[in-house]
Every structure is written in C-alpha cells, then in structure tokens.
Amino acid sequence: MEPDTNKKATRGRPVCELKQAEQRTKLILAAKQLLNTKSYSQITIRDIASEASINSAMIKYYFGSKENLFVELIQTIADEQFSQFEGLTEQSQPVYQFILRFGEILQTHPGIVHLLSEEVLNKTTPLAQAFMASFPARVSKFLPLLIQKETGSEDHKKAKLAAFQLITLVVSPYILKTLRQQAWQIDDSEIQGEAWAKDLYQHFIYGLKESDINEVGS
C-alpha cells in the first residue's frame, strides 16, 4: 500500500476548508481587535496569534506576512461598511446621511483612524496603498455625485473639491485627537452623533450656495 503523500504535505496545517476559513476569520478579527487599542507598529505576529488562540505559523501560511493580513483586514472592513452607502442618492439629504454614517464608521472602528494617522499619511507602502484604494478612493467616486444631487450643481470639478473639503472636515477631528482634546478641550462625545452631523452638514451645505459665495469679499 502506497503512503498517503498528501497527508505528509499538509502536516500541521488544517485540511478542512471550513476550518481554514474559520482560522483566517479569527486572525483577521484578532488583528482588528488589537488595532483598536494599539498602533500597527506595536502589534506583533505573536500578539495576533495569541489573541486568536492560533499558532503564529498560520499567519504566514494564510497571509504571507503581518502586512498582508492587515491589508485583508482593511479590505474586509471597507466591503462591510461601504455597502450602507449604496442607494444614498435616493435619500432626501444624501450628504447629511453620508456625514452621519461615515462618522459612525470612525467612531466604531478606531483602528481605522490609527492606521490612517500612523501608517497611511505620507507613506507609499502596500498597506498605505490598500487603505487608499479601500477608503479614500471609494469615497472620491460617489461623494461628489451626492453633493451634485443635493446642491443641484452641474460643475463636477467644484463638487469634487467640495467633497474633499467635506471628508477632511469629517475625518480631521479624529486624526487630530490630541490637539482637539488638549488645546481645545473638545472631547469625543462632542464630535459624535446626530447633533454634530447636523451642525457640520448645515455649515457645509449652506456654504456651497452660489448666493452666499458671491457675497464673500463684496
């Protein structure tokens, strides 16, 4: 009877596809959990394996590296969260809904903010590129269209610049957390929820009206 070479080739590795999928998911969730409390550079492969209760060798087996694991984490979060923006053009106030929902993503996924401020800005690593493709690039495609729909503007270039200004207003309080809290004494509760979203929305939308803009400097 010939030996089963397939079993030898996979010794130490889960053979069942369901088991493999389960372990991949556990590792991704462990990385997400750790990123909520630690910076990317502080997280080690051992940390992730320990959090997931899985052999650290499985990270290399499934993902190849810690960076690739976090790339997949970014893509997973983006795919889960951006589905809620589908159909916003049918809402009566799509820009307000965007501000509210994107703010909720930042509140419930602090790890995303950590990655953006520490590993993405001014960097060109595969991790930074994956983040750009998964979040800012996606927003840049649909947010100008929401602005055009709500304001009635036909100028796509103007809408694109306005969209960039808006996403900066939404994200910057989280990126500048230390400055916001220490210099301005603005805590997290003041930049969350419907009250904050409505205030930001009103300042932004009314600032885009041609009649108001033409009065500036006159």
Side-chain angles (χ1 to χ4, degrees):
M1 184 176 181
E2 294 183 2
D4 189 340
T5 55
N6 289 332
K7 287 186 178 180
K8 290 183 179 179
T10 58
R11 181 175 297 171
R13 301 174 181 176
V15 178
C16 175
E17 291 185 2
L18 184 60
K19 182 69 172 179
Q20 291 185 1
E22 180 184 319
Q23 289 195 339
R24 284 179 64 90
T25 299
K26 281 186 176 181
L27 290 168
I28 291 173
L29 290 176
K32 178 182 177 181
Q33 185 63 34
L34 289 167
L35 193 60
N36 286 338
T37 56
K38 300 173 70 173
S39 68
Y40 170 78
S41 60
Q42 292 175 323
I43 300 172
T44 67
I45 286 178
R46 287 186 178 182
D47 290 335
I48 300 169
S50 177
E51 181 74 18
S53 299
I54 294 174
N55 191 311
S56 60
M58 292 297 98
I59 294 176
K60 184 174 183 180
Y61 174 59
Y62 290 127
F63 305 99
S65 66
K66 183 185 92 168
E67 184 175 51
N68 289 343
L69 167 56
F70 277 89
V71 165
E72 188 155 338
L73 169 61
I74 290 168
Q75 294 168 343
T76 298
I77 294 175
D79 290 342
E80 290 174 351
Q81 297 300 319
F82 274 79
S83 61
Q84 67 180 294
F85 297 117
E86 296 175 3
L88 274 190
T89 53
E90 306 305 319
Q91 300 281 338
S92 60
Q93 295 179 318
V95 175
Y96 168 70
Q97 290 297 326
F98 170 80
I99 295 171
L100 184 62
R101 297 182 191 188
F102 202 85
E104 289 173 351
I105 292 176
L106 297 174
Q107 294 163 30
T108 56
H109 295 79
I112 292 298
V113 179
H114 295 164
L115 275 180
L116 177 58
S117 61
E118 298 165 7
E119 301 297 329
V120 176
L121 298 179
N122 302 315
K123 292 189 179 181
T124 57
T125 63
L127 183 65
Q129 292 171 353
F131 189 100
M132 289 292 184
S134 297
F135 284 93
R138 286 191 182 186
V139 172
S140 71
K141 287 181 172 61
F142 70 81
L143 185 53
L145 300 177
L146 297 184
I147 291 173
Q148 283 185 276
K149 177 183 182 298
E150 186 154 347
T151 62
S153 172
E154 297 181 358
D155 189 336
H156 183 70
K157 182 177 180 180
K158 177 182 174 182
K160 184 172 67 173
L161 290 171
F164 176 72
Q165 293 171 341
L166 177 57
I167 196 64
T168 301
L169 290 172
V170 174
V171 175
S172 60
Y174 293 87
I175 299 298
L176 303 175
K177 182 175 181 177
T178 301
L179 179 65
R180 166 173 58 82
Q181 291 181 334
Q182 295 184 8
W184 294 87
Q185 286 80 52
I186 300 175
D187 61 35
D188 292 345
S189 65
E190 296 178 80
I191 61 164
Q192 297 176 357
E194 293 185 3
W196 164 260
K198 287 178 180 178
D199 187 58
L200 183 56
Y201 169 76
Q202 290 173 350
H203 281 84
F204 177 77
I205 285 295
Y206 295 139
L208 284 178
K209 288 187 175 181
E210 293 290 343
S211 58
D212 294 335
I213 293 174
N214 291 335
E215 291 176 2
V216 175
S218 60

